[in-house]
Amino acid sequence: MAFQAEPVRRPREQVEAQLRKAIVSSEFKPGERLPGEAELAATFQVSRATVREALRSLAASGLIRKQVGPAGGSFVETMDHESLRTMLSGSLETILSLGTVSFAETMDVRRMLEVPAVRLAATNRTEEQAAELERLVDRQEELEREVNDAAHDLELFGLGMCIYSLIAAASGNRALAAFVSALNRVTLPIYLRELKPDEAKVAAGHTRSLVQAIVSKDPDAAEKTITAQLDLMHRDRPRSAVQRKPRRPAANRRSKRGA
């Protein structure tokens, strides 16, 4: 058998690999503070600069968070589907703002994931999830009939996010729910910014119909409705990259339901 040598790593890579292994194996538990840079440098017999590079890479991977101040340091992050959603949302928002990918490309991926997600939701949703979806959409319709102000717009936006995040969670697949929710959080503000008043009414109807399909456990109706909703979001949208940072709708604009 031919000898297979393991490539020699740079000191930073060795430090990072050992810390990563300790975090994944729960030797360092979620929320726990890692030893300071000086202590780690002495332990690994490397410079503080090497340790700092390793910690920066772990932070970029979402394994730890850096906290400044007297009680600061490097803390192990909780790694679950919720943290995955947060990491994905931040990364997607950044690449959309930079124009690395376009809104249209992101919407294409959303379609690939959200259509099967709503079918699963219509099959797997619990009674508690169904009741909460109906409560949320009823509240949205109440707000639609009220006079707009900043707080009103913000609540409508939040309710839309809650509805589509809950639908994703109802799929029963936490990894899929994390990806779908992350895409929603990034694309919804851009969509609302460009939404026309007549489209807002249509989107509102789609949301109600989607909730009804999921409550009724009708996967085919759920797929048909989410496809129509995504078609509306994609219609006449430029395929060029979105280079402005997504923002929530201004209070003086016509309120829109989340999609």
Side-chain angles (χ1 to χ4, degrees):
M1 182 176 179
F3 171 71
Q4 294 182 346
E6 182 178 342
V8 178
R9 297 180 176 179
R10 296 170 52 202
R12 191 273 298 169
E13 293 173 337
Q14 295 184 49
V15 172
E16 179 187 344
Q18 291 187 57
L19 288 175
R20 184 184 296 272
K21 183 179 179 180
I23 291 170
V24 171
S25 65
S26 295
E27 188 173 346
F28 290 120
K29 295 179 172 51
E32 184 176 347
R33 185 181 185 277
L34 296 181
E37 289 182 3
E39 183 178 348
L40 287 172
T43 300
F44 287 108
Q45 298 183 9
V46 296
S47 68
R48 290 185 63 172
T50 296
V51 169
R52 195 172 299 118
E53 286 182 28
L55 293 176
R56 187 179 298 117
S57 181
L58 291 172
S61 300
L63 287 174
I64 65 172
R65 70 179 187 279
K66 303 286 286 183
Q67 185 172 311
V68 299
S74 299
F75 294 85
V76 179
E77 285 279 28
T78 300
M79 296 302 295
D80 57 14
H81 62 289
E82 293 292 340
S83 59
L84 174 60
R85 181 184 65 181
T86 301
M87 290 167 55
L88 289 169
S89 294
S91 298
L92 283 169
E93 184 171 344
T94 298
I95 62 176
L96 276 172
S97 298
L98 294 173
T100 308
V101 299
S102 70
F103 177 71
E105 289 173 305
T106 307
M107 286 301 301
D108 286 340
V109 175
R110 182 174 170 180
R111 184 185 298 270
M112 294 173 193
L113 297 178
E114 196 154 7
V115 171
V118 299
R119 291 191 64 89
L120 285 171
T123 302
N124 299 330
R125 63 88 177 150
T126 65
E127 292 300 322
E128 292 78 10
Q129 289 169 331
E132 180 64 6
L133 282 171
E134 289 185 312
R135 186 191 70 80
L136 290 171
V137 80
D138 285 345
R139 176 56 183 157
Q140 277 197 327
E141 290 181 347
E142 289 176 10
L143 285 174
E144 290 285 352
R145 295 189 290 268
E146 296 177 5
V147 178
N148 294 1
D149 59 20
H152 172 278
D153 257 7
L154 212 57
E155 185 177 355
L156 266 177
F157 178 86
L159 284 169
M161 292 301 307
C162 286
I163 288 173
Y164 283 87
S165 292
L166 181 53
I167 290 173
S171 71
N173 185 310
R174 290 175 292 181
L176 177 60
F179 277 90
V180 170
S181 294
L183 287 164
N184 282 336
R185 287 175 179 273
V186 173
T187 58
L188 183 57
I190 299 172
Y191 169 57
L192 292 179
R193 185 181 65 209
E194 305 294 337
L195 193 62
K196 301 172 184 176
D198 60 327
E199 291 176 329
K201 293 180 180 180
V202 176
H206 287 331
T207 300
R208 164 59 78 175
S209 296
L210 179 59
V211 168
Q212 288 176 339
I214 290 171
V215 170
S216 301
K217 290 199 166 186
D218 188 339
D220 292 336
E223 177 178 348
K224 181 179 179 180
T225 305
I226 194 62
T227 299
Q229 187 78 301
L230 293 172
D231 285 344
L232 178 65
M233 294 182 71
H234 226 287
R235 188 182 305 155
D236 299 326
R237 306 285 182 255
R239 297 197 66 86
S240 58
V242 176
Q243 296 182 321
R244 291 174 295 172
K245 184 176 180 180
R247 60 180 175 82
R248 294 177 180 177
N252 62 352
R253 294 188 61 185
R254 171 74 173 86
S255 293
K256 290 121 182 151
R257 187 187 306 274

